[in-house]
Amino acid sequence: MRVKYAAERAKRVRDEGAAQYLELDGDLAGLYEVDPYTPVTERDPIDEDIEVVVLGGGFAGLLSGAYLKKAGIGDVRVIDMAGDFGGVWYWNRFPGIQCDNDAYCYIPMLEELDFLPSKKFADGAEIFGHCQAMGKHFGLYDGAIFSTQVETMRWDDSIKRWRLTTNRGDDIRARFVVMAQGSYNKPKLPGIPGIKEYLDAGGHAFHSARWDYDYTGGDASGGLHKLADKRVALIGTGATGVQLVPHLGRDAKQLFVFQRTPSSVDMRENTPTDPEWAAALQPGWQEERKRNFHNWSPFVGVVFGEPDLVCDFWTELGRNMTARIAASPDPASLGVEEIMAIREEEDYRIMERLRRRVESIVEDPQTAEALKPYYRFMCKRPCSSETYLPAFNLPNVTLVDVAESKGVERLTKKGIIANGVEYEVDCVVFASGFEISTEISRRYAIDVIEGRDGLSLFDSWHDSYQTLHGMTSRGFPNQFHLGFIQGGVSANTTAMFEQQARHIAYIIAEVSKRGATTVEPSQAGQDNWVNTVRELAIDNSAFELSCTPGYYNNEGRGASENNGGFLGHFYSPGFYAFDELIAQWRDKGDLDGLELGH
């Protein structure tokens, strides 16, 4: 299996790494900047001083705003290019969209807002509604600045504030800025030659994060009736593609699915919320469930004396490993190498089970073989669906495997060339993901971020992150960050955002209480944290470099480039170990490692 996996990986690795993707600017900006859901209304430019600006209105921004309000900071304004709160759940409204991990863990503040998802994997509209409810609950709609893109951010030392300019002509002077754009903020396209040629010839195309229902008809539940006479190409078979194919396959005249690497697709078993279970929940249940999910997730993996409350495809590897170890003659005597050997074997068993699932469902042997995932579990984001694989049995659905050519060759005026064959299509849907592992300057949808003395954040972070606790950097006073940067990492992203939002709100509140004007890490504080992260780092390079290329492993290059790739040189003792560390830091109360300016 190791040899087979290596051969399959070698087919797909591209020399360009993450640079193979196109940035949505210039001629392609329309695929990103247009809001298909909220018309932009004219308004006068804003010229004012604000205490805290939060950039981003998704869960990261909502949680930041919520914790700032809880800390007693009233003047908080959220800026987002979207027309409402929601972040990815505002932009991603494609047919079939659902949460793809346990919604009782993923959706934050369920207890505080007295809300329970209707099912284990909640629909996108339900999650978007919860985002709106959070905005209302914490008064974040008051003063929110929507349909606005920040273009430049510069620290003005003469007034000790950040000056923000926007595409609406605003001049906003913020004392504090919280960067909460999240991890899936800016769509990207595969670097396929001919996209402009196809569009100029009248071909229709859009990114899945800007779904064009005027063209397709229907809504997020499906019913894409306007595609009945259309030939549609879907480029991308990751988590989004897996949710899209059943709807496009059912409604389009012809669907061509272009696949470089197949996803692993398990059963979803999306059960409705049990009323009896819901009625029996005790206060604190969500935090207990989130901790339990983290413990059983692939980030930890071996748990004794604790039931698996989530019990799905995300936690199967942990369950199987724990059972294997518990059944050994002397579990306590097993060393790290023996445990990792067990992990590898159980990993192979799970992936083989998923490959057999493919061949038991997909009728055409050649198509079934192309849909089989030959890589380790968690090399790509694991998916689940009862309807994805059966869609390839439909007569109007064709899988075009482009592994050997490492992707689609080009677009033409009429369609797409792949494997030397031209496929004429009326519409191209790009389910090609987001700027996650590309250059730092591409991931932030802001042209200029300059701190003290004109220092560029993009230059400062180009080779390696320089932070204290992953949330603030020297040379960038009163600026804070949420995301995968030198902190604790969890399989549950919103738990990370909540952890960071709580910590940032504490610091901002303390700065105000202590009568300070600015806050930033001391050089020693920042250096100590960077060294701590490096010294404790676990070498995952062998696993990462064995994986098929994708954003999890920096397109096959591992953590050696782009600031550690997707996970950003994380704090390896673990997510809850990091939570305890920063909680103790707050309890000490001396703001160790920070410098306050007056």
Side-chain angles (χ1 to χ4, degrees), residues 568-591:
H569 293 305
F570 59 96
Y571 180 69
S572 64
F575 176 71
Y576 284 106
F578 180 68
D579 193 60
E580 187 175 325
L581 181 147
I582 58 176
Q584 291 174 352
W585 183 92
R586 293 193 297 268
D587 290 342
K588 279 175 58 185
D590 60 0
L591 303 184

Side-chain angles (χ1 to χ4, degrees), residues 323-349:
R324 269 282 297 280
I325 292 169
S328 65
D330 186 7
S333 69
L334 295 176
V336 173
E337 290 186 4
E338 292 169 297
I339 290 173
M340 294 309 291
I342 290 172
R343 183 187 182 97
E344 185 178 18
E345 289 175 15
E346 293 305 320
D347 186 316
Y348 286 135
R349 286 192 170 99

Side-chain angles (χ1 to χ4, degrees), residues 73 115 149 278 346 548:
I73 300 164
F115 173 70
Q149 175 62 51
E346 293 305 320
T548 189

